[in-house]
Amino acid sequence: MTYRTRPLRMFVPALAMMATLGACAQEGELVVNQGVGITSVLSTCPAVGIPDYTGDVTTFRSAGAPTSANLDVSASMTNLRSTCDDGSDKIYTEATFDVRARRSDVRGARTVTLPYFVTVLQGGSAVVTKRVGEVTLTFADGEERATANAKAGAFVDRAAAALPEDIRERITRRRRPGDPEAALDPLAAPEVRAAIARSRFEMLVGFQLSEEQLAYNATR
């Protein structure tokens, strides 16, 4: 799955972060220093983002005619922000975002309700949870645009988001020049990469779209 830049592309993979991030490590994060000037920060908090083609939704006045002349309402998600509370066994992440909508017919006041989803993925593909919420936009008479705020939240088990102790020890073991393992990258080992992947979680937010709406977003 790929991710759209709203407001930022999904977080850069933690293992690619450079030494400048080392000073930003918070409690509960694993700081990896291999003695070669590279530091990686592995946070137990999930990355948050909007999957491609799900940050926009378009409705039409009549079915079967996805044309600009038949357009009813279009809306997009923006200003996605998140907070994470990792102070307990259940890590809670909350995302807030704005929905900005535009309608083609400005006559009369109107209320439009749009569904959105929040999904937690483990390892980039396994769906842990999925919930659907709604955001309501109110258009005043004669107004073309409307804006609403919404939020979504999800829990992640700390035990699942933490690396096993043997993997942590293998990654953080101090390596001195001349040691047989000094030239080996522990993060390249298949079992280490697999353990890191299992501990990575993502919280994804987007509009709950029909197959036709998703296809329209992908091809427009």
Side-chain angles (χ1 to χ4, degrees):
M1 182 175 289
T2 56
Y3 307 96
R4 175 171 299 178
T5 306
R6 291 183 184 275
L8 296 173
R9 183 167 296 275
M10 288 295 294
F11 293 167
V12 175
L15 298 182
M17 293 184 180
M18 301 305 290
T20 52
L21 293 182
C24 301
Q26 303 295 322
E27 184 177 357
E29 295 178 340
L30 171 63
V31 179
V32 182
N33 193 326
Q34 300 182 67
V36 291
I38 298 177
T39 300
S40 298
V41 179
L42 306 181
S43 173
T44 54
C45 292
V48 178
I50 301 174
D52 269 351
Y53 312 125
T54 66
D56 301 277
V57 62
T58 303
T59 62
F60 298 91
R61 286 192 288 266
S62 60
T67 64
S68 58
N70 190 40
L71 190 147
D72 182 25
V73 174
S74 60
S76 61
M77 290 184 175
T78 187
N79 295 331
L80 179 67
R81 302 167 297 275
S82 66
T83 58
C84 177
D85 180 0
D86 60 352
S88 65
D89 291 339
K90 291 288 187 178
I91 300 168
Y92 180 70
T93 300
E94 183 174 274
T96 60
F97 56 92
D98 299 332
V99 175
R100 296 176 180 173
R102 179 179 180 180
R103 61 174 176 167
S104 57
D105 187 350
V106 301
R107 293 172 295 180
R110 183 181 176 187
T111 297
V112 175
T113 299
L114 301 172
Y116 64 89
F117 68 85
V118 53
T119 298
V120 174
L121 293 185
Q122 182 179 15
S125 60
V127 177
V128 179
T129 61
K130 179 179 179 179
R131 296 178 181 175
V132 176
E134 294 181 335
V135 57
T136 299
L137 299 114
T138 301
F139 294 90
D141 183 22
E143 291 293 331
E144 180 185 33
R145 301 177 184 273
T147 301
N149 308 111
K151 65 180 179 179
F155 289 93
V156 170
D157 288 332
R158 172 180 288 278
L163 286 173
E165 285 301 321
D166 61 324
I167 298 295
R168 291 173 63 94
E169 190 279 332
R170 186 169 175 179
I171 293 173
T172 59
R173 184 185 307 150
R174 185 174 179 82
R175 293 166 174 80
R176 300 180 182 277
D179 289 347
E181 295 183 350
L184 300 178
D185 180 5
L187 302 178
E191 61 273 22
V192 174
R193 294 172 65 89
I196 291 173
R198 286 192 300 270
S199 69
R200 298 304 94 203
F201 286 81
E202 299 156 320
M203 190 178 85
L204 307 178
V205 182
F207 287 113
Q208 182 70 18
L209 304 174
S210 65
E211 291 185 6
E212 292 78 11
Q213 289 171 325
L214 188 60
Y216 176 81
N217 285 354
T219 57
R220 64 177 181 172

